[in-house]
Each structure stands twice: as structure tokens, then as C-alpha cells.
């Protein structure tokens, strides 16, 4: 009985840790996005990376909605820090919707 209780307690602790990381990761990504938007008038909405990414996604997805530099920064942050996923066109679009 004590082994079962210990296993259950360990699972609860791990779930709590994962949920806490998700919210702190999203807060970090939101701060990063806010900082990017604040600098957007100076830096601009496009750069070479965003241009190549949009061009690639437009070739592979007819319904692709072009993203700005700050949107790509936010999506990349969410994908790497929160979802631990790759930066594909579909994943970027999904991360910007949530």
C-alpha cells in the first residue's frame, strides 16, 4: 500500500511541475513578444528569416497567412519552451492560434 501511495504522490508532483513549467514558459514568451512589439517600429516587421519562412510555407500551404517577425519570435518561443516541438509551418500556425 505504501508503494502505491508513493507512486501516486510522485506522479502528482511530476504533473504539478509540468503544469508550472508551461505557465512560466508562456509568461516568458509573452514578455519576449511584448519586447519585440515595442522594438518593432525601429527594427521592422520583416527580416530575411521571416521572408524565407513565409515563402516556404506559402509554397507548401495554400492557406498560409504570412507572419511578422514578432509573431515568428513568439511562435518559436512557445514551440521550444512550452511544447518542445519543431518549427514547422503547421506548428507555427497552431501555436499562434492558442
Amino acid at each position: 500500500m505504501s508503494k502505491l501511495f508513493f507512486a501516486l504522490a510522485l506522479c502528482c508532483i511530476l504533473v504539478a511541475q509540468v503544469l508550472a513549467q508551461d505557465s512560466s514558459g508562456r509568461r516568458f514568451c509573452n514578455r519576449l513578444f511584448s519586447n519585440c512589439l515595442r522594438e518593432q517600429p525601429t527594427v521592422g516587421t520583416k527580416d530575411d528569416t521571416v521572408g524565407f519562412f513565409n515563402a516556404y510555407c506559402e509554397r507548401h500551404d495554400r492557406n498560409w497567412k504570412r507572419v511578422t517577425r514578432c509573431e515568428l519570435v513568439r511562435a518559436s518561443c512557445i514551440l521550444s519552451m512550452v511544447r518542445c516541438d519543431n518549427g514547422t509551418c503547421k506548428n507555427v500556425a497552431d501555436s499562434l492560434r492558442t
Side-chain angles (χ1 to χ4, degrees):
M1 183 69 171
S2 65
K3 289 181 182 178
L4 180 64
F5 180 73
F6 178 72
L8 183 61
L10 184 61
C11 287
C12 290
I13 291 170
L14 290 174
V15 167
Q17 182 181 8
V18 168
L19 292 175
Q21 286 177 341
D22 181 46
S23 64
S24 66
R26 285 197 182 274
R27 281 195 308 268
F28 175 79
C29 293
N30 288 338
R31 278 196 319 269
L32 190 65
F33 181 63
S34 296
N35 290 342
C36 185
L37 288 177
R38 191 170 34 253
E39 298 297 325
Q40 190 167 296
T42 306
V43 180
T45 59
K46 302 178 209 166
D47 62 14
D48 290 342
T49 304
V50 176
F52 291 133
F53 187 80
N54 279 324
Y56 174 82
C57 291
E58 285 172 345
R59 283 194 302 270
H60 292 85
D61 182 3
R62 293 182 337 169
N63 297 323
W64 179 252
K65 177 189 165 282
R66 295 180 70 82
V67 295
T68 65
R69 187 179 58 83
C70 292
E71 289 172 331
L72 189 57
V73 165
R74 180 173 180 258
S76 299
C77 182
I78 289 171
L79 288 172
S80 62
M81 292 194 64
V82 177
R83 292 176 46 186
C84 298
D85 214 344
N86 295 325
T88 63
C89 302
K90 181 184 180 322
N91 289 344
V92 166
D94 289 345
S95 70
L96 290 175
R97 274 189 233 119
T98 57

